[in-house]
Amino acid sequence: MAGQTPPPISPPPLTGGLWASAQNLLATVIAIVQTRVELAAVELEEEKRRLLAVMGWGAVAVLMACFSLVFLALFVTVLFWDDRVVVLGAITVLFLVIGGLAWQRVGKLLTGTGGLLSASIAELEGDRKALAEAAARVAGQPRPPMQE
């Protein structure tokens, strides 16, 4: 036993070759890009929240402007007191039409919005899974576990 030499250490066998290594590298790069896109989506979400806060204060400003319009309408009504019913009716119809158009526009702006960059993230995830599966097939290894 003392005279025996240990068996030679050989490097691990190369499975899959250069093509599998390139696919693994590309899968890693796509995973990195996906992470960056998800980070960008988070940052855009934060920016959206800031924008919503600005819009909230803008809504307060608009509300104050509406109060000003109401007092202007009262002023015009008092100014033309003899025709006050016609003046109040015309101003009311004008305000209702403008409010209805604004409400319709808000509804159109709010409908049909998906997740921020969700299509891009889904495409990158699909690309990453396809490349990982192809690399595993070339290397003869079982399919690697995917993060969900």
Side-chain angles (χ1 to χ4, degrees), residues 6-86:
I9 299 174
S10 61
L14 297 175
T15 57
L18 183 61
W19 179 245
S21 295
Q23 284 182 327
N24 285 333
L25 177 64
L26 188 57
T28 302
V29 169
I30 288 175
I32 290 170
V33 169
Q34 179 182 359
T35 302
R36 298 299 185 258
V37 169
E38 289 172 351
L39 178 61
V42 168
E43 290 174 1
L44 287 172
E45 186 70 26
E46 289 174 357
E47 186 63 24
K48 183 179 85 170
R49 291 184 190 277
R50 188 192 69 78
L51 180 61
L52 287 174
V54 168
M55 289 173 57
W57 283 108
V60 170
V62 168
L63 182 64
M64 293 299 113
C66 288
F67 283 135
S68 298
L69 284 174
V70 167
F71 283 105
L72 177 65
L74 287 173
F75 175 74
V76 170
T77 302
V78 171
L79 190 63
F80 297 105
W81 189 253
D82 293 336
D83 298 321
R84 63 185 173 267
V85 174
V86 173

